[in-house]
Amino acid sequence: MCGIVGFTGNLPAAPLLLDGLHRLEYRGYDSAGIAVLENGKITTEKTVGRIKSLIDSTDNGKTVSGNIGIGHTRWATHGAPSLENAHPHLSGNCKFAVVHNGIIENYSTLRKELKNEGVKFLSQTDTEVVPHLLEKYYNGNLIEAVSKVVKMLEGSFALGIICTDYPDTLVAAKRFSPLILGVSDKGNILASDVTAIASLTKDIIYLGDDEIAVLTPDKTEVVDLSGKALEKEVSEITWDVSAAEKGGFEHFMMKEIFEQPKAIKQTLSGRIKNGEVVFEDFTLTADKLKGINRIVIIACGSAYHAGIVGKYVIEDMTRIPCEVDLASEFRYRNPIIDDETLTIVISQSGETADTLAALKEAKRLGSHVISIVNVVGSSIANASDDVIYTWAGPEIAVATTKGYSTQVSVMYLFAAWAAKHLGTKDDKYIADFLAEVKALPQKIEKILLQKDRLKEMAKRCVNTQSLFFIGRNLDYAVALEASLKLKEISYIHSEAYAAGELKHGTISLIEEDRTVFALSCYNDLADKMLSNIKEVAARGAYVITCANEGETEFEKESNQMIYVPKVHELLVASTEVIPFQIYAYYVAYHKGCDIDKPRNLAKSVTVE
Ligand code: F6R
């Protein structure tokens, strides 16, 4: 996630900005920069990579003098990590410098309008529209210009702004992205979170949505978008600032589990318009899509499981046959691919060696390749014909959670986009489906409230040697991911089985007290699942069933129940996976495992 810091006061700004950025490093970033204002001139320093090189190149800020400035760590969303795309961004006349956290959803419309008026853009970012708009609307009053521009922006953002006409005034504004102001007698500071502020002060003000903060060395004022002054409370930070890095959670994995509603919202943002899906800059046209007779999805691990969800949803909505392949198998099996095959590659890191090699093989054989990737500018993104980014933010825990959930969300978007262009679902169906997709974050929030109950339930598995997950159709796809999550962090042997397949051999492993998780949210097959649950219960299994709220028919045959809110039949993976991520986390927690860094695993698998 991008990080912002800004300072105006009686101390040199650059060292403070660099210190703040250093403290924000834990959020993950790929490039960084600062802008300092002195004698009517803004100086910027940027780097791709570590903040350390910015510290070295500026002799810890000493070469960039001035007492007011803004800084930024960037996690790329629009445009690859590069010096041009690194913040701060300047207006054409170099009067304004801007740092931004979040996504400006209507940036492409604004960018087109500005370009038509002759504005030259130096980056691919959504952010750069802001300094250009400030230049356009500025008539000598900075706050009025900021207010006007903020009203034009859609999406989520936190902005830090300096202007050469205001030698000691730092301006900030936000909507849906956090921004905190720090008040001190050495000057005033702003940042995306308290970690970057705490070295200077413990007195903070939380800026609200659609509020503008005006900071000078000895004053912090907040106004609304009409310019009316607002009373803001100053609170004191009394808690351990280092805990803020993990959002107050003990591990990144739990922090990221709780970030899923936001990550999904961000991934959907700007992509659902008037009841249909819009993918900006897609080169796969509707005509080309009509010539596709087969889709092959390629990935590894959890991304492969997201692909299996995709298969069920895409086939249902588009009627195009869809295969899912493990990248490590695909690349060595002389695959049958041609220019009528569409390949979809899924990877959180964008660097997985097998997935990248499989992608290249598919391209060599003439296939159009779309990748679904989290890391902007990664090797897989660069090698693809089209990229749909999952805007999940950096994922730090080795076991993926929000990465998987956002990949699955993109699968829904792609299925709805393809169904619309192929005419396999009518407009009403697609609009209703997308409305349900948009409602997912809210439903997931509700499931997260079950955390403490799941923590208690997870104690049961601490001494378990081996267990099973069973499900059918989309429930089976989730069973695969739930099983992987549990085994990779808790080191318990676990197998996911298509529930109807158990009786062809594996049922011999079901014995007294064997834990079986039965996933039963996909309604069409509820009766069949009930029979499978009876099969294992009759052989002594301890059955924990996950079903939709209100569907109590499984209770009689189950030892424990987990309920999730009911969603559209094709979206069950998004809700059903959440309790199993939490359950897996707590089994590992009770066992004392190294949750964020499980043994033998790496976050990015760049070797075969
Ligand atoms: C499991 C997990 C892995 C990854 C797999 C692919 O929690 O994270 O199974 O899903 O290594 O990685 P990416 O998505 O980076 O290609």
Side-chain angles (χ1 to χ4, degrees), residues 299-305 346-353 355 372 380 395 397-401 407 481 484-485 488-489 601-605:
C300 302
S302 293
Y304 168 74
H305 298 154
I346 310 176
S347 174
Q348 187 284 128
S349 64
E351 298 297 344
T352 303
T355 310
I372 296 170
I380 288 175
E395 197 174 52
V398 166
T400 184
T401 51
Q407 287 161 354
E481 176 58 9
L484 177 62
K485 219 71 315 165
E488 71 179 319
I489 60 169
L601 293 176
K603 185 68 189 159
S604 181
V605 187

Side-chain angles (χ1 to χ4, degrees), residues 40 111 153 317 346 376:
R111 190 177 167 109
L153 303 179
M317 289 183 69
I346 310 176
V376 175

Side-chain angles (χ1 to χ4, degrees), residues 14-236:
L16 267 162
L17 298 175
L18 291 169
D19 177 66
L21 294 183
H22 179 61
R23 289 168 193 274
L24 292 173
E25 273 191 313
Y26 76 91
R27 295 163 71 99
Y29 69 103
D30 47 53
S31 51
I34 56 171
V36 175
L37 167 61
E38 191 179 49
N39 301 329
K41 187 172 172 290
I42 295 172
T43 307
T44 57
E45 287 288 339
K46 299 183 185 184
T47 186
V48 176
R50 302 286 93 189
I51 285 161
K52 173 83 173 61
S53 63
L54 208 53
I55 293 174
D56 291 345
S57 67
T58 62
D59 191 13
N60 199 14
K62 289 195 196 86
T63 61
V64 196
S65 60
N67 291 357
I68 173 169
I70 47 180
H72 189 263
T73 49
R74 176 170 188 254
W75 167 262
T77 57
H78 296 67
S82 66
L83 281 183
E84 301 78 57
N85 290 332
H87 301 209
H89 289 288
L90 298 180
S91 55
N93 60 4
C94 296
K95 205 181 257 291
F96 302 93
V98 174
V99 286
H100 162 228
N101 180 9
I103 293 177
I104 296 167
E105 286 178 14
N106 59 336
Y107 85 99
S108 65
T109 315
L110 295 168
R111 190 177 167 109
K112 265 178 221 143
E113 282 167 14
L114 287 162
K115 270 188 165 175
N116 288 342
E117 291 162 14
V119 172
K120 297 241 169 332
F121 279 81
L122 303 178
S123 77
Q124 289 92 52
T125 62
D126 51 338
T127 307
E128 201 188 337
V129 295
V130 179
H132 292 308
L133 286 171
L134 286 170
E135 175 176 341
K136 179 174 168 182
Y137 291 109
Y138 178 68
N139 57 11
N141 186 323
L142 177 60
I143 313 306
E144 269 177 30
V146 171
S147 165
K148 183 149 196 165
V149 172
V150 165
K151 285 182 197 157
M152 299 174 73
L153 303 179
E154 291 168 15
S156 63
F157 50 84
L159 299 167
I161 300 161
I162 51 175
C163 168
T164 52
D165 288 351
Y166 287 74
D168 64 0
T169 305
L170 178 60
V171 176
K174 76 160 219 104
R175 187 182 302 147
F176 307 143
S177 289
L179 202 70
I180 291 156
L181 316 174
V183 186
S184 96
D185 54 9
K186 297 180 206 79
N188 291 314
I189 189 164
L190 61 88
S192 350
D193 71 50
V194 286
T195 45
I197 282 182
S199 65
L200 193 72
T201 177
K202 289 202 174 305
D203 294 328
I204 59 163
I205 296 171
Y206 291 95
L207 193 64
D209 287 339
D210 288 319
E211 292 179 355
I212 298 175
V214 186
L215 279 65
T216 50
D218 50 13
K219 225 185 339 175
T220 294
E221 290 173 312
V222 178
V223 297
D224 67 13
L225 292 186
S226 67
K228 193 171 115 232
L230 301 172
E231 283 285 325
K232 299 295 284 187
E233 199 184 319
V234 179
S235 22
E236 195 191 340

